[in-house]
Amino acid sequence: MRTQIAAANWKMNCTLQQAEDLLNKLSAVTDFNTSNKIAVIAVPAPYLLLAKQKLAHQANMFVAAQNCYIKNYGAYTGEISAEMLQSMGISYVLIGHSERREYFNENNAMLAEKINIALEYEVTPIFCCGESLAIREADNQNEFVAQQLKDALFHLSAAKIVKVVIAYEPIWAIGTGKTASSAQAQEMHQHIRKTLEIQYGSAVADVVSVLYGGSVKGNNAVEIFSQPDVDGGLVGGASLIAEEFVTIMNALK
Ligand code: PGA
C-alpha cells in the first residue's frame, strides 16, 4: 500500500512562541504510529531544527522545509540549499508550491532543477501541481497538470520518480474555503496516476503517493482521503490548529 501522508504547510505563519506551542502539541500525540501513515510538518526555515528536536521521538512524524534553491552553496543571499537540509537531518522539502510559482516566478524548468538537487541530497521532494480557476473553467486542467508533471518530473528515471511525492493543489481551492469535491479530486488523482503509468508503467504509478491540497479541514478529510487515488493531504490553514491537524492525521486511510 502507498504511504498515506498528512502534510502540514505552515507557510509564513507563527512566531517562535506560537511555533513552539504547536510543536509541543504535536509532540504530545501518542496514538499515531501505524506502519503506512506519516505526518510531515513543513515549518518556516528558522524553526526547522526546533521542529526536528521537538518531534525526534515521533517515529512517524517528519519535518519539511518549504523550499530549497537550485544551487548547492555560494553567493545566493537568503536561499537555503538541499545540502544544508540534509546536514540538518531534514527529510522532506516542498517544491513548486503555487505561491512560489506566483510570487517568486518559479517555473517548471527551475522546479526540475530543484527536484534534482533535492533528490541528490536525499531530501524527498513534495512536488506541487495544480491549475488556476480560469484553466478549470476552460476544462483544460488535465492537460495543464500533465504538462507540469512532464516538464518538472519526467526527466527522472523510474528509480528516482518513486522517491517523489506529488501534491495536487487546485489553486482555486487554496485558502479559499472552497474544496474540490471528492469526485473532482479522485478524477484528477486518477489522471495523474494514469499519466505516470503511461510514462513509467503501472508498477511505478502504483507506488507514488499523490496528496490532495486545498482547504482540507478536519470535517472534510475523511471524505477526500477515502478516494482510492488520494493518499492524504497537504494542509495549509487547518495545520495551524493542532487539534484540527491531528484530526486530519487520523483521517488517513
Ligand atoms: P489551505 O492551503 O489548506 O489553506 O487551502 C493548502 C496549501 O496551500 O498547501
Side-chain angles (χ1 to χ4, degrees):
M1 191 183 186
R2 289 184 290 274
T3 308
Q4 304 294 300
I5 305 173
N9 176 10
W10 290 7
K11 309 191 180 186
M12 196 179 75
N13 291 297
C14 294
T15 61
L16 174 60
Q17 292 71 25
Q18 289 165 335
E20 250 183 325
D21 182 54
L22 204 39
L23 289 166
N24 284 339
K25 288 179 177 154
L26 294 176
S27 139
V29 170
T30 53
D31 54 356
F32 184 67
N33 40 24
T34 61
S35 58
N36 72 319
K37 300 180 193 182
I38 62 169
V40 176
I41 320 294
V43 302
Y47 311 143
L48 283 168
L49 273 187
L50 175 72
K52 241 336 250 168
Q53 285 156 7
K54 294 271 187 198
L55 301 178
H57 63 287
Q58 293 283 21
N60 290 7
M61 293 191 196
F62 300 90
V63 179
Q66 296 177 9
N67 181 31
C68 73
Y69 194 50
I70 55 175
K71 303 283 186 188
N72 226 351
Y73 59 86
Y76 304 102
T77 302
E79 293 297 323
I80 300 169
S81 75
E83 187 178 22
M84 291 174 190
L85 297 177
Q86 184 195 45
S87 73
M88 293 160 73
I90 300 299
S91 38
Y92 289 83
V93 60
L94 303 184
I95 298 287
H97 189 279
S98 60
E99 289 148 19
R100 300 285 325 165
R101 293 175 189 259
E102 182 178 353
Y103 304 128
F104 303 97
N105 299 321
E106 295 192 0
N107 57 31
N108 288 325
M110 176 190 248
L111 299 176
E113 290 189 65
K114 291 192 176 199
I115 294 279
N116 289 346
I117 202 148
L119 288 171
E120 186 181 334
Y121 287 95
E122 293 171 337
V123 184
T124 301
I126 301 179
F127 174 75
C128 305
C129 56
E131 80 286 355
S132 65
L133 185 60
I135 292 170
R136 167 75 50 173
E137 283 176 347
D139 201 24
N140 283 333
Q141 64 276 9
N142 285 2
E143 295 73 15
F144 183 82
V145 170
Q147 197 62 46
Q148 287 183 316
L149 300 178
K150 285 176 190 153
D151 291 348
L153 297 182
F154 283 6
H155 61 286
L156 296 173
S157 65
K160 288 264 172 81
I161 192 124
V162 295
K163 296 183 174 152
V164 175
V165 174
I166 296 173
Y168 166 62
E169 299 203 300
I171 296 169
W172 46 271
I174 295 179
T176 57
K178 197 173 164 187
T179 325
S181 67
S182 51
Q184 282 174 319
Q186 169 56 23
E187 193 183 21
M188 178 57 84
H189 282 232
Q190 198 172 29
H191 168 66
I192 289 172
R193 212 171 294 290
K194 190 80 206 158
T195 307
L196 286 168
E197 188 186 323
I198 291 165
Q199 182 74 11
Y200 293 101
S202 59
V204 165
D206 282 350
V207 297
V208 174
S209 297
V210 184
L211 317 184
Y212 169 80
S215 299
V216 174
K217 309 274 180 242
N219 62 12
N220 60 21
V222 168
E223 159 85 13
I224 296 170
F225 296 174
S226 68
Q227 300 302 309
D229 286 296
V230 177
D231 306 310
L234 178 55
V235 186
S239 75
L240 297 170
I241 305 158
E243 298 71 20
E244 183 90 3
F245 187 66
V246 170
T247 303
I248 292 168
M249 283 161 54
N250 288 324
L252 291 173
K253 49 178 181 281

